[in-house]
């Protein structure tokens, strides 16, 4: 334990979760805890001895201890876990936005791997893997009996190697089998474009080491050649989270200096922290401010933030901060609701444990845990309502053993009334399946005419511009 000098915080989903070193004293260095439960440990020792002496096959001590540690953590909540050497390495590599695998954000449900969201431009995304899919077999290995870490490890592998996924999908009578070819997954953290004169779109797909600097570069690009923006859409849909300091920096890009962005609270003093829109809270390992290229006009440009059920953790920090400070209008659907903080404690042998140590709160003190961010204006994913894939999307509150929201009763927030929906025009496709005329395509191209939520955000910005002009 003495080699563990820092604890790191993670605020993303299982696969996208990433490290942020905050130089917090290691757990081993804290004051001594109360005495150990002797009776319970004696029972543990008796079970251990019984397995060693009587199990049908010999079991190595290392395997038994590792399984015991893994069981202790996995039974706490969905995000605490034991990380073997490979899983710990994958977690560290993931912060750089490049790793080998299929490109799926996953969780666990009833012993099966459940897809939270496929990552854009990856083998899973192109093959048509959808949010809500249940993976019950990996090649010929049943998922039942595997831990989430073991299942993820099987899905990852050398690029250009195949893997077969056997999937149960709601609405399908037979299992779906897909063969995917693993790739080096390079997640482009920030994307942008000038959708029309005066209106820009910036999308953060995942919060990585370079996200803050990339955001500044992309926003500066929208202002190049003397362009003036009348409105900006910050798109956080299906962004599963990532680095905490990335969320603070993205928030700081659009907020006044030194205002509160997020706070954390847990049982220890180290877990009680407050982060503000200031360089020292988001700068990591560089002498220069990563927001140095950001145009000053970005601080005041009218903004809409787009969110949905796939917007988790770091995304919710940004949306919550901009909402509480009334800097932007939040549009879309209820977010995922991951409001817990994980500390990563390195262990001998290049392993680690990922332990939930705190909850995080928006500037006004709201807890997002198991609730999420409620949009100011609810806009479903199509004119007829939520698309079929989105309806199956899981949220934090759906996960087994999820933490409760400790401040929900103290700070209730009324649910906005959803906009009126036009009745769907149903029919049958060539295969005889029921379909909706306005249902979203399987793979939505963001910020296009077919992107219903984006078009509504753009209309809102234009309406705000008209009102502003009348007021002048």
């Amino acid at each position: 334990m003495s080699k563990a000098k820092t604890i790191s915080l993670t605020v993303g989903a299982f696969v996208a979760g990433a490290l942020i070193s905050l130089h917090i004293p290691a757990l081993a260095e804290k004051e001594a805890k109360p005495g150990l439960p002797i009776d319970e440990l004696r029972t543990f020792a008796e079970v251990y001895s019984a397995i060693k002496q009587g199990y049908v096959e010999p079991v190595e001590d290392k395997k038994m201890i590792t399984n015991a540690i893994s069981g202790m953590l996995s039974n706490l909540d969905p995000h605490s876990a034991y990380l073997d050497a490979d899983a710990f390495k994958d977690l560290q590599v993931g912060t750089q936005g490049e790793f080998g695998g299929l490109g799926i954000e996953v969780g666990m449900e009833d012993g099966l791997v459940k897809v939270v969201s496929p990552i854009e431009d990856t083998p899973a995304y192109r093959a048509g893997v959808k949010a809500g899919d249940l993976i019950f077999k990996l090649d010929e290995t049943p998922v039942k009996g595997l831990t989430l870490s073991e299942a993820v490890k099987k899905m990852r592998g050398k690029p250009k190697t195949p893997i077969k996924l056997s999937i149960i999908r709601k609405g399908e009578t037979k299992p779906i089998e897909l063969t995917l070819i693993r790739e080096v997954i390079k997640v482009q953290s920030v994307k942008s474009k000038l959708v029309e004169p005066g209106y820009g779109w910036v999308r953060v797909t995942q919060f990585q080491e370079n996200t803050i600097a990339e955001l500044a570069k992309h926003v500066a690009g929208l202002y190049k050649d003397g362009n003036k923006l009348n409105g900006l859409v910050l798109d956080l849909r299906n962004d599963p989270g990532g680095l905490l300091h990335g969320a603070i920096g993205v928030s700081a890009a659009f907020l006044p200096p030194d205002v509160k962005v997020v706070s954390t609270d847990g049982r220890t003093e180290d877990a009680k922290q407050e982060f503000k829109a200031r360089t020292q809270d988001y700068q990591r390992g560089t002498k220069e401010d990563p927001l140095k290229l950001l145009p000053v006009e970005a601080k005041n440009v009218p903004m809409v933030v787009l969110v949905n059920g796939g917007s988790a953790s770091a995304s919710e920090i940004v949306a919550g901060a901009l909402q509480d400070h009334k800097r932007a209008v939040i549009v879309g659907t209820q977010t995922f609701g991951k409001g817990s903080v994980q500390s990563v404690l390195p262990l001998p042998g290049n392993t680690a444990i990922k332990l939930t140590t705190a909850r995080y709160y928006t500037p006004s003190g709201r807890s997002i845990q198991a609730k999420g961010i409620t949009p100011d204006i609810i806009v479903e994913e199509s004119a007829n309502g939520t698309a079929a894939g989105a309806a199956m999307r899981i949220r934090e509150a759906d996960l087994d053993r999820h933490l409760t929201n400790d401040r929900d009763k103290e700070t209730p927030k009324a649910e906005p009334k959803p906009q009126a929906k036009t009745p769907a025009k149903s029919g049958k496709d060539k295969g005889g399946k029921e379909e909706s005329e306005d249902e979203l395509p399987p793979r939505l191209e963001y910020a296009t005419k077919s992107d219903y939520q984006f078009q509504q955000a753009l209309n809102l910005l234009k309406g705000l511009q008209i009102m502003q002009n009348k007021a002048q």
Side-chain angles (χ1 to χ4, degrees):
M1 287 281 191
S2 60
K3 63 179 276 188
K5 299 298 183 185
T6 64
I7 295 177
S8 302
L9 299 184
T10 63
V11 293
F14 185 84
V15 177
L19 303 178
I20 173 170
S21 180
L22 295 180
H23 302 286
I24 302 174
L27 294 179
E29 299 169 5
K30 295 188 182 298
E31 61 185 48
K33 297 295 186 293
L36 295 173
I38 300 301
D39 290 341
E40 286 77 8
L41 287 177
R42 185 178 291 114
T43 301
F44 175 84
E46 290 176 358
V47 173
Y48 189 96
S49 177
I51 295 172
K52 287 291 292 182
Q53 295 178 23
Y55 186 65
V56 65
E57 294 178 351
V59 185
E60 293 181 358
D61 290 329
K62 181 179 179 180
K63 181 178 180 181
M64 290 178 65
I65 295 296
T66 298
N67 289 344
I69 295 171
S70 179
M72 279 192 292
L73 290 158
S74 63
N75 280 285
L76 294 174
D77 67 84
H79 308 293
S80 294
Y82 171 75
L83 306 176
D84 63 18
D86 290 337
F88 188 28
K89 182 180 178 181
D90 287 343
L91 187 63
Q92 293 169 307
V93 170
T95 68
Q96 308 302 320
E98 181 174 323
F99 53 90
L102 305 176
I104 318 174
E105 303 294 339
V106 294
M108 211 78 176
E109 181 178 291
D110 297 329
L112 303 179
V113 172
K114 188 161 188 174
V115 177
V116 174
S117 179
I119 301 172
E120 292 175 55
D121 305 322
T122 64
Y125 185 83
R126 292 192 294 269
V129 175
K130 296 182 179 181
D133 283 351
L134 291 171
I135 302 172
F136 67 91
K137 191 183 288 186
L138 300 168
D139 285 329
E140 299 305 316
T141 303
V143 172
K144 280 277 190 181
L146 299 179
T147 66
L148 185 55
S149 296
E150 290 169 338
V152 169
K153 186 175 180 180
K154 284 188 174 293
M155 286 188 281
R156 291 192 172 185
K158 293 182 179 180
K160 298 183 181 179
T161 59
I163 182 171
K164 184 173 70 175
L165 306 184
S166 299
I167 292 171
I168 299 171
R169 179 175 295 167
K170 186 176 180 180
E172 298 290 340
T173 57
K174 296 181 179 179
I176 298 170
E177 292 190 348
L178 299 173
T179 299
L180 282 66
I181 306 298
R182 297 180 178 93
E183 294 179 2
V184 174
I185 307 299
K186 296 181 179 179
V187 180
Q188 184 179 341
S189 178
V190 183
K191 303 177 181 181
S192 67
K193 65 180 176 180
L194 194 67
V195 291
E196 59 182 74
Y199 295 93
W201 170 80
V202 176
R203 172 164 171 73
V204 180
T205 62
Q206 187 177 322
F207 290 83
Q208 303 168 357
E209 287 286 356
N210 64 344
T211 295
I212 305 171
E214 285 295 305
L215 177 85
K217 184 175 73 174
H218 277 266
V219 174
L222 296 174
Y223 281 95
K224 69 179 180 180
D225 300 327
N227 288 337
K228 182 190 176 203
L229 289 186
N230 297 319
L232 178 68
V233 176
L234 176 61
D235 196 339
L236 301 178
R237 290 173 297 173
N238 297 318
D239 181 333
L243 295 174
L244 175 59
H245 80 266
I248 298 167
V250 170
S251 301
F254 305 107
L255 290 173
D258 297 322
V259 300
K260 186 192 293 188
V261 173
V262 66
S263 62
T264 62
D265 190 20
R267 293 172 59 201
T268 67
E269 287 303 312
D270 294 334
K272 304 176 191 300
Q273 298 205 47
E274 186 175 284
F275 302 94
K276 296 184 178 181
R278 55 189 179 187
T279 309
Q280 60 264 40
D281 282 359
Y282 61 77
Q283 192 173 21
R284 289 291 179 274
T286 59
K287 295 181 179 179
E288 295 182 326
D289 184 352
L291 290 178
K292 66 176 184 176
L293 296 178
L294 190 76
V296 294
E297 295 88 347
K299 292 285 187 182
N300 299 305
V301 63
M303 286 182 65
V304 167
V305 177
L306 279 174
V307 296
N308 65 2
S311 305
S313 205
S315 301
E316 295 172 294
I317 290 175
V318 175
L322 297 181
Q323 185 179 55
D324 279 5
H325 289 295
K326 302 188 185 305
R327 175 62 185 87
V329 180
I330 312 301
V331 172
T333 56
Q334 197 83 4
T335 61
F336 184 82
K338 185 184 180 297
S340 62
V341 179
Q342 281 66 51
S343 297
V344 176
L345 175 64
L347 298 174
N350 296 318
T351 63
I353 62 171
K354 181 157 64 85
L355 184 67
T356 300
T357 54
R359 291 177 174 89
Y360 68 76
Y361 305 90
T362 69
S364 67
R366 289 182 293 152
S367 171
I368 299 167
Q369 176 59 23
K371 181 178 181 181
I373 295 293
T374 302
D376 298 307
I377 301 174
I378 291 183
V379 176
E380 302 287 356
E381 299 195 15
S382 75
N384 289 334
T386 302
M392 292 186 290
R393 185 181 285 128
I394 61 171
R395 289 181 167 82
E396 178 78 10
D398 300 319
L399 301 178
D400 291 339
R401 299 180 300 279
H402 67 270
L403 291 180
T404 58
N405 187 305
D406 63 325
R407 296 187 183 178
D408 188 36
K409 294 180 180 179
E410 299 173 21
T411 55
K413 184 176 178 67
E415 298 276 345
K417 293 181 180 179
Q419 62 181 25
K421 302 171 188 175
T422 305
K425 296 180 181 179
S426 298
K428 291 190 177 182
D429 62 13
K430 293 180 181 179
K433 293 182 180 180
E434 293 291 330
E435 65 175 4
S436 172
E437 184 178 280
D438 295 321
E439 191 171 284
L440 287 175
R443 290 192 293 273
L444 173 67
E445 186 177 349
Y446 290 98
T448 62
K449 290 184 178 180
S450 64
D451 185 346
Y452 180 74
Q453 287 177 319
F454 170 75
Q455 291 299 324
Q456 297 308 305
L458 194 60
N459 290 338
L460 177 60
L461 284 172
K462 290 177 179 178
L464 292 175
Q465 178 64 25
I466 292 171
M467 293 173 63
Q468 184 178 5
N469 291 340
K470 286 183 177 181
Q472 291 176 349

